[in-house]
Amino acid sequence: MGENYDIGALAGDVAQAVRSYADDRDRVEAIRPHLARWMERQEGLLPAHRLPCDGNRACGHLLHTAEDGAFFIISVVFPPGTSSGVHYHGAWGVIGVLEGEDEETKYLRAEGPSFVGAGQE
């Protein structure tokens, strides 16, 4: 049935990519196949990691944080009809959708790409 590939193994491969690639695009491309591999069986993802927060609200479940703080792995749950709203991540990222659909709208900041206050109060 194949070799185990749990969240810890995924985190190890992500850590290697973070150390190996300074360029965000290169780093993301190096991580993509590791995330795809983990998503095939989702080892280590508990049933609770698929549940929304109290009150059927969107929320994230922390699955791993790198010791040096370079990255983290989360399971984000959006119940139908909820949204993350307009927000700024401020960093690189790799996203895998386990079930359902993800709709994304990108906006151009009138103040320029370095203005991070977009969508913030």
Side-chain angles (χ1 to χ4, degrees):
M1 192 144 152
E3 178 182 327
N4 288 345
Y5 194 72
D6 62 9
I7 293 167
L10 171 62
D13 286 335
V14 170
Q16 179 64 39
V18 169
R19 286 190 301 270
S20 299
Y21 299 97
D23 180 79
D24 291 345
R25 290 182 194 272
D26 293 340
R27 181 181 296 147
V28 166
E29 289 305 314
I31 292 169
R32 187 185 312 265
H34 299 297
L35 179 59
R37 177 180 175 194
W38 178 82
M39 288 176 61
E40 288 177 9
R41 293 178 36 195
Q42 304 162 28
E43 291 181 51
L45 189 68
L46 302 175
H49 298 149
R50 294 179 175 275
L51 297 176
C53 287
D54 292 339
N56 204 36
R57 294 177 298 115
C59 66
H61 304 284
L62 184 62
L63 305 179
H64 177 86
T65 301
E67 287 183 22
D68 64 359
F71 69 92
F72 58 92
I73 300 172
I74 60 173
S75 166
V76 180
V77 179
F78 288 100
T82 62
S83 170
S84 63
V86 176
H87 63 281
Y88 177 71
H89 287 187
W92 60 272
V94 181
I95 297 172
V97 178
L98 296 177
E99 59 185 64
E101 296 179 9
D102 180 38
E103 181 179 318
E104 179 180 67
T105 302
K106 293 185 179 185
Y107 297 92
L108 178 65
R109 295 185 201 110
E111 299 84 354
S114 62
F115 180 69
V116 297
Q120 308 303 314
E121 296 182 331

